[in-house]
Amino acid sequence: MQPTSSMKEEFLKKWQMGLQIYRPLIDNTSVSERRKAIKLSADVAMASLRKGTTCWSRALIQKTATEDNFLVRQMLSGIKAETLINKKLPKVMCHRKIVRRSKMILRRRQSRSAIEEVAAKARKLIKKKTQGLRNVVPGGEFMSNDVLLIQETLDYIVSLQTQVNVMRSIVDAAEAGSER
Amino acid sequence: MSNRRSRQSSSAPRISDDQIIDLVTKLRQILPEIGQRRRSDKVSASKVLQETCNYIRNLNREVDNLSERLAQLLESVDEDSPQAAVIRSLLM
C-alpha cells in the first residue's frame, strides 16, 4: 500500500484548484494567512480523494469547513459539499451500553487460563495505544470499533504520504526555481 | 494460537488475534523504519501502534512545515520575476 501516481496526480489537481480559489487573496495577506490557506486546501484535497467513503476524510472535511466554509464548498462541487459538510458522522458502534454489558457478561463467563491472561494484558496495552491513535486520526473519537480504527488509520497514512510526497516535490521545485 | 473457540462471538467490537496480526502486518509494511525486531506479535503490536501515532504526528508536522515554506516563497517572490512564473505554473 503505497501512494500511487494516480493518487498523487489527483491530489495535485485538487490542491491546485484550492490554491486557485485563494489566488485573489494570496497577494494581500500575511504569511501566516497564506500558510493556513495552503494547508487547508491541501487537507481538503487529500480528504476529497476518498470521496466520502472513509470516516477520517469526512471528519477532516467537516473540521476544515469550520475553519473555512467557503473554501470547502468551492473545492467540493455543490451538492456533494452540502452532504459532506452537514452529514452526521456515523455513530459507528457507539453503543457503549451494549458493549459494556457484553464485556461484563464475557468476563463473568470466562475462566481464565494463563494464556488468556497474557492475551488479556496485551489487549489492555493495545487499548491504551489505540486511544493514542484516536487522538491523531480525524474522527477517531467516533470509532469505538478497533478494527475500523486501524483500517481508517492505514488509509489515512497512505493519504498523508501522498500529501507530503506531492507537497515536498512542489516546494522543492519552487525553491530551486527561486534560487539565483 | 487460536483463542477463538473459548471466546463468545458477541457484538462487542473485540479484535480477534488474526485481525490484529493482519492489521499490524499492514502497519509494519507502511511504517518506514520498523525492524523485524520481535516475533511475539502481541508485544510488538503495541509498539507498532505507538510508532504509528508518532509517524502520523511527524507527517502532519511536515505538512505544516511545507505549507510554511511555500507561504514564505510566495511572499518573497517578485510578481513579475521569472521565479514567480515558475511558481505560478507549478501551483496555479
Side-chain angles (χ1 to χ4, degrees), chain A residues 1 15-16 19-20 23 26-27 31 34-35 38-39 98-99 102 106 109 116 122-123 125-126 129 132-133 136 146-147 150 153-154 156-157 160-161 163-164 167-168 170-172 174-175 177-178 180, chain B residues 3 6-8 10-15 17 19-20 23 26-27 30 42 46 49-50 52-53 55-57 59-60 62-64 66-75 79 83 87-88 90-92:
Chain A
M1 224 186 312
W15 184 38
Q16 284 172 325
L19 292 171
Q20 281 278 20
R23 183 76 187 281
I26 273 190
D27 296 326
V31 174
R34 232 176 270 153
R35 174 179 49 81
I38 291 170
K39 169 121 196 328
I98 300 177
V99 171
S102 38
L106 275 174
R109 287 199 195 147
E116 283 170 319
R123 266 169 223 286
L125 250 173
I126 290 177
K129 296 300 193 280
L133 270 188
V136 291
D146 283 345
V147 174
I150 298 192
T153 303
L154 287 167
Y156 181 50
I157 289 182
L160 273 177
Q161 287 172 331
Q163 188 187 46
V164 167
M167 287 179 79
R168 203 187 284 149
I170 293 284
V171 175
D172 285 346
E175 278 175 352
S178 298
R180 281 204 172 269
Chain B
N3 293 344
S6 53
R7 189 178 319 133
Q8 308 276 346
S10 65
S11 56
R14 296 182 74 164
I15 311 184
D17 297 338
Q19 280 174 319
I20 288 190
L23 292 169
K26 293 210 180 101
L27 273 177
I30 63 180
K42 298 295 192 214
S46 168
L49 289 174
Q50 181 63 53
T52 307
C53 290
Y55 185 49
I56 291 180
R57 283 204 199 98
L59 285 174
N60 280 322
E62 190 164 359
V63 171
D64 286 336
L66 289 166
S67 306
E68 174 69 31
R69 276 163 67 190
L70 193 51
Q72 294 281 359
L73 259 179
L74 290 170
E75 160 93 345
E79 251 313 292
Q83 292 92 330
I87 295 181
R88 240 178 270 132
L90 278 174
L91 287 176
M92 299 167 184

Side-chain angles (χ1 to χ4, degrees), chain A residues 157, chain B residues 24-41 43-55:
Chain A
I157 289 182
Chain B
V24 166
T25 311
K26 293 210 180 101
L27 273 177
R28 268 209 195 105
Q29 286 166 356
I30 63 180
L31 294 183
E33 283 147 18
I34 291 238
Q36 294 290 320
R37 282 186 220 142
R38 299 189 216 220
R39 289 278 192 79
S40 153
D41 288 291
V43 178
S44 63
S46 168
K47 179 108 205 291
V48 169
L49 289 174
Q50 181 63 53
E51 298 284 327
T52 307
C53 290
N54 296 339
Y55 185 49

